[in-house]
Amino acid sequence: MKLYSTNHQSSDVDLAEAVFRGLPPDNGLYMPTEFRPLPPTFWENVQNLSLQEIAFEIANALIGEDVPTEDLRQLINNAIDFTAPIVEVEANIYCLELFHGPSMAFKDFGARFMAALMSYFLQKSQKQIHILVATSGDTGGAVAQGFYKTPNIDVTILYPSGKVSDIQEKQLTTLGENVRALEVNGTFDDCQKLVKLAFLDKELTDKFDLASANSINIARLIPQAFYYVNAYAQLKKSGVDLPVVMSVPSGNFGNLSAGIIAWKLGLPVHKFIAATNVNKVVPAYLESGVYEPISPSLSTISNAMDVGNPSNFPRMKALLDNDLDTMRRLVVGYFYDDEATKVAMKDVFDRTGYVMCPHTAVAYLGLKAYTNTLSEPVSGVFFSTAHYAKFLDVVEEVVGKQDIPTRLSDLLSLEKQATPMSTEFSDFKAWLMANL
Ligand SMILES: *Cc1c(COP(=O)(O)O)cnc(C)c1O
């Protein structure tokens, strides 16, 4: 697999280099130079394949040159060891549950696959890689779980003190082993700045092999294409034969970019819905053709999507030939405020008993808005990107007391282990020098 930079000022690289570099030197995003669609026989039989088998075929089509067949199969079986079922919530309206992984958010797909791929590339070397990652909540939990006990890799997670939920904090701070948490006395932006400065510090980068695990890494994107195809396979298996619409609750637009990759590999999707909260940069772009970042981003109850300048948007454009009309043919945008989101959570719960997290509710609303414009029936799939219990405060405020899965409630009794950290880079650097 060859990857180019969307800024076209850096040379092409192979997969291993793209994964360890994260970003090309010209600050673009790495993108595969070609997509070879899967053969018609694959699509005819896809309903008979498991998520892991589908994942293998897609990964093989994308990165088969970089990882030999049997190694790739094993890597996928280790990384994707959970399910992504669809649940029919209303007639022809399905929820794709992406929260059955260890951190109970869809970011587990990206984080576990990235960890497995890095570890595979490292196994023949004696190198020790140090991952630095700043989190506002969900990323940290998925990365912590994804890299836990991975040989040759350790992880340092920076999170803003008092600004993540109890469950999210416990997910970051209770694993131990090769995962360490720094509780920064500041905001998420302060955490991100410390990480950025570390990557620019020559003394640190000469001494240590540092790597990042944020959502622009191509290794986090590839595995997200798996569940789009698996969702289609499940619909086909249940005998549904209508055009398929998929609604994706979006922030940095990595998830939807992966959907477009699946489409380029041949996934028959009628439309994708780009559903956002009031950080509506992409729906507004689809409407007006003008891209206007929102700075600073607006705070909402679907806070994992509070992104005012989506980092994967250049990828989404590149996948669709940088052409607005091409994008408009495939993608429709809708956005919702917190009030509408809460109304949807309550309405769906009252009618069906199904509990949605706020992000999931945004996707549900986008799907319903679009299907209401159609005169022909379709199968609609809205993505649930997190288990509702990760956002328990707002969920219980809207729909009343709910059960917490034991995987999450067990965490609350574990002891938090985090090192306090100031927002001064000199303090962070001293800690890294002494502890990596
Ligand atoms: C990260 C996240 C999103 C946004 O996904 P993108 O790929 O950044 O668009 C949506 N929902 C939840 C729960 C998330 O954690």
Side-chain angles (χ1 to χ4, degrees):
M1 179 192 212
K2 279 265 166 289
L3 299 109
Y4 72 96
S5 165
T6 51
N7 280 353
H8 301 287
Q9 304 297 315
S10 306
S11 42
D12 291 358
V13 297
D14 65 10
L15 179 64
E17 187 168 349
V19 169
F20 287 109
R21 267 186 183 277
L23 274 183
D26 66 5
N27 274 323
L29 298 172
Y30 282 123
M31 284 289 284
T33 51
E34 62 169 342
F35 295 94
R36 274 163 300 193
L38 288 151
T41 49
F42 169 80
W43 296 106
E44 281 155 24
N45 296 311
V46 72
Q47 69 281 6
N48 301 320
L49 303 180
S50 67
L51 170 61
Q52 287 72 22
E53 288 166 331
I54 289 170
F56 170 77
E57 295 298 336
I58 294 172
N60 199 32
L62 289 169
I63 64 171
E65 294 153 29
D66 302 75
V67 185
T69 305
E70 274 323 301
D71 292 340
L72 185 59
R73 210 181 279 280
Q74 203 179 353
L75 189 158
I76 282 175
N77 290 343
N78 291 339
I80 313 297
D81 59 351
F82 46 91
T83 60
I86 57 169
V87 176
E88 190 168 17
V89 174
E90 295 168 20
N92 289 330
I93 299 283
Y94 299 81
C95 183
L96 175 66
E97 295 187 343
L98 297 173
F99 52 72
H100 294 276
S103 81
M104 306 201 86
F106 84 105
K107 290 187 172 76
D108 286 326
F109 280 87
R112 284 186 68 81
F113 186 81
M114 181 180 180
L117 199 59
M118 280 188 165
S119 154
Y120 174 78
F121 285 136
L122 283 174
Q123 67 189 343
K124 289 177 205 88
S125 79
Q126 297 304 311
K127 259 204 239 173
Q128 177 76 14
I129 297 277
H130 308 278
I131 305 257
L132 304 181
V133 64
T135 185
S136 57
D138 271 355
T139 298
V143 168
Q145 292 279 354
F147 284 90
Y148 181 53
K149 291 190 177 171
T150 301
N152 302 328
I153 303 180
D154 57 57
V155 181
T156 302
I157 299 169
L158 290 80
Y159 72 98
S161 183
K163 295 190 174 64
V164 302
S165 77
D166 283 356
I167 282 178
Q168 285 174 331
E169 182 171 43
K170 288 290 169 79
Q171 285 188 323
L172 310 174
T173 58
T174 56
L175 285 172
E177 301 267 351
N178 63 331
V179 177
R180 288 169 301 184
L182 300 181
E183 180 176 2
V184 176
N185 188 16
T187 62
F188 170 60
D189 289 341
D190 292 321
C191 299
Q192 241 179 343
K193 201 164 135 205
L194 289 176
V195 169
K196 216 173 248 174
L197 288 172
F199 283 110
L200 293 173
D201 187 279
K202 195 159 164 8
E203 205 181 343
L204 284 172
T205 53
D206 281 350
K207 192 159 173 337
F208 303 113
D209 278 308
L210 302 179
S212 132
N214 63 21
S215 77
I216 45 92
N217 197 300
I218 190 73
R220 279 185 56 178
L221 212 64
I222 291 166
Q224 294 183 36
F226 304 164
Y227 51 71
Y228 282 83
V229 177
N230 184 236
Y232 170 74
Q234 291 177 73
L235 286 175
K236 207 170 168 217
K237 186 166 189 164
S238 65
V240 176
D241 192 21
L242 295 169
V244 177
V245 174
M246 294 184 168
S247 180
V248 185
S250 297
N252 272 316
F253 281 84
N255 201 349
L256 188 50
S257 295
I260 297 171
I261 290 176
W263 173 78
K264 291 190 85 124
L265 295 177
L267 177 67
V269 172
H270 170 69
K271 276 284 191 269
F272 288 115
I273 314 295
T276 71
N277 58 32
V278 288
N279 294 284
K280 58 176 182 181
V281 181
V282 173
Y285 171 78
L286 286 162
E287 182 80 29
S288 68
V290 183
Y291 184 82
E292 279 181 289
I294 296 176
S295 175
S297 62
L298 306 166
S299 293
T300 75
I301 56 170
S302 48
N303 54 29
M305 312 198 297
D306 291 350
V307 179
N309 191 7
S311 58
N312 273 298
F313 189 63
R315 244 181 201 140
M316 196 172 138
K317 278 195 358 196
L319 283 163
L320 298 169
D321 309 327
N322 291 304
D323 182 66
L324 178 58
D325 289 327
T326 306
M327 191 182 285
R328 281 174 171 159
R329 275 194 293 278
L330 187 66
V331 185
V332 189
Y334 292 95
F335 67 93
Y336 297 94
D337 65 15
D338 284 353
E339 197 45 46
T341 306
K342 288 181 183 177
V343 168
M345 289 164 70
K346 175 136 177 55
D347 166 57
V348 169
F349 178 71
D350 287 348
R351 281 187 295 110
T352 71
Y354 196 77
V355 185
M356 305 185 292
C357 90
H359 312 78
T360 308
V362 168
Y364 171 85
L365 282 167
L367 179 61
K368 292 291 278 196
Y370 178 68
T371 55
N372 283 339
T373 67
L374 304 175
S375 47
E376 300 294 318
V378 295
S379 282
V381 183
F382 65 101
F383 289 18
S384 181
T385 43
H387 192 281
Y388 67 79
K390 294 195 82 173
F391 301 90
L392 204 60
D393 286 356
V394 56
V395 166
E396 292 195 332
E397 173 203 322
V398 175
V399 301
K401 193 118 192 81
Q402 298 298 324
D403 293 337
I404 310 179
T406 46
R407 180 181 288 169
L408 294 182
S409 57
D410 286 352
L411 273 176
L412 292 173
S413 62
L414 298 179
E415 201 177 331
K416 153 181 160 184
Q417 286 178 311
T419 305
M421 183 57 60
S422 79
T423 55
E424 292 298 324
F425 179 64
S426 53
D427 290 343
F428 179 47
K429 181 173 172 179
W431 186 90
L432 290 171
M433 283 300 213
N435 290 282
L436 287 191

